[in-house]
Amino acid sequence: MDRKELTEKIPVHVAVIMDGNGRWAEKNGVSRLSGHNAGMLAMKEIIKRADIMGIRYLTVYAFSTENWKRSQEEVGGIFNLLVKYVGSELAELDENNVRVRILGDWRQVPKAAVASIEKALDTTKNNDGLQFNIALNYGGRQEILHAVRSICERVSSGEIGVSDVTGAMISDALYTGEENGNIPDPDLIIRTSGEERLSNFLLWQCAYSELAFTDSLWPDFTPDEFEAIVHAFAGRKRRFGGR
Ligand code: IPE
Ligand code: IPE
Ligand code: MG
């Protein structure tokens, strides 16, 4: 198959659960934070390849609502890395016309990270290239709860009735909905590190997503492996409940 034929089947939205930084660190005899740093470097390369491949939306799971259970040192270190990443990469992302969006309750993360995020959102707000969504302080159940509450408010104020509530209204009220320009559901979700679960990621949106799992630990995950998985996906038949 030539490249053009493949790109015609390229998924619109690919989401990635970047898992295995800690195990990578252990395997290499370095600190967990060095593992997260290596993970950040891997992420940079995946963004570039996704862009080259013509993927429109790339979503990465960077920090879950459950990750606060980790040590203060690790949590603080992860957010410091995010600040460092935005500081060193924002200009290049902007030059490449990448639009950054954040999914999750990101205003509750440490102040320096909130400031970096605001800068990234503002700097890239007029870009219309690859949309790079970072799920940060993100939880799928929390997202659904947040959406349900906002719809309940509309019902209790009398704006709409109970029978007016639709699935589309729920989709619109999610982080992937109106507040972030209506991101289509992921066509493909990839998880690294050999774990085969979603860990509270995009629970509403994953209804018909293809799932791909690889044993590679996230810092070892290469753009070539990413591309191979995406191409394998292109060959799968999605039926959406039909025949
Ligand atoms: C994923 O790597 C990154 C985050 C969850 C922030 P982990 O830190 O979960 O790595 P493992 O699962 O311990 O190997
Ligand atoms: C999922 O990985 C969250 C992120 C990759 C940010 P975890 O390592 O937190 O998930 P579990 O604990 O293995 O389910
Ligand atoms: Mg993990």
Side-chain angles (χ1 to χ4, degrees), residues 129-223:
L130 172 74
Q131 185 168 313
F132 175 50
N133 308 306
I134 308 174
L136 194 71
N137 195 16
Y138 173 90
R141 288 188 170 178
Q142 288 77 354
E143 177 182 42
I144 294 169
L145 174 64
H146 166 86
V148 167
R149 283 193 176 144
S150 72
I151 293 167
C152 287
E153 272 166 22
R154 294 174 64 191
V155 172
S156 72
S157 73
E159 183 199 332
I160 53 171
V162 169
S163 58
D164 296 328
V165 177
T166 60
M169 224 177 252
I170 297 175
S171 292
D172 287 349
L174 299 172
Y175 298 127
T176 46
E178 277 163 4
E179 70 172 82
N180 280 305
N182 293 311
I183 300 166
D185 290 342
D187 302 292
L188 171 65
I189 299 177
I190 301 170
R191 184 171 187 150
T192 58
S193 87
E195 308 294 354
E196 303 193 349
R197 58 177 171 268
L198 289 170
S199 301
N200 208 9
F201 191 44
L202 302 176
L203 297 184
W204 174 273
Q205 299 89 335
C206 75
Y208 278 102
S209 303
E210 297 288 333
L211 305 177
F213 301 99
T214 166
D215 287 336
S216 301
L217 301 173
W218 176 253
D220 290 331
F221 189 62
T222 62

Side-chain angles (χ1 to χ4, degrees), residues 8-80:
E8 278 159 7
K9 286 192 204 155
I10 280 295
V12 174
H13 182 181
V14 178
V16 184
I17 302 173
M18 308 186 290
D19 197 16
N21 293 349
R23 279 161 283 169
W24 183 90
E26 201 172 322
K27 189 182 86 180
N28 289 282
V30 297
S31 68
R32 287 188 67 86
L33 266 183
S34 302
H36 292 308
N37 190 51
M40 207 69 90
L41 300 176
M43 185 179 81
K44 266 167 50 176
E45 299 307 315
I46 300 301
I47 299 169
K48 281 188 207 150
R49 184 64 66 93
D51 194 12
I52 291 168
M53 290 171 72
I55 291 166
R56 299 291 306 151
Y57 300 85
L58 175 71
T59 301
V60 299
Y61 202 4
F63 193 88
S64 78
T65 44
E66 286 70 40
N67 288 147
W68 296 105
K69 293 178 195 161
R70 299 185 181 200
S71 73
Q72 248 188 2
E73 186 195 356
E74 181 172 354
V75 169
I78 289 172
F79 287 108
N80 287 341

Side-chain angles (χ1 to χ4, degrees), residues 74-90:
E74 181 172 354
V75 169
I78 289 172
F79 287 108
N80 287 341
L81 273 173
L82 178 82
V83 172
K84 188 175 116 183
Y85 169 76
V86 172
S88 67
E89 299 305 311
L90 184 57

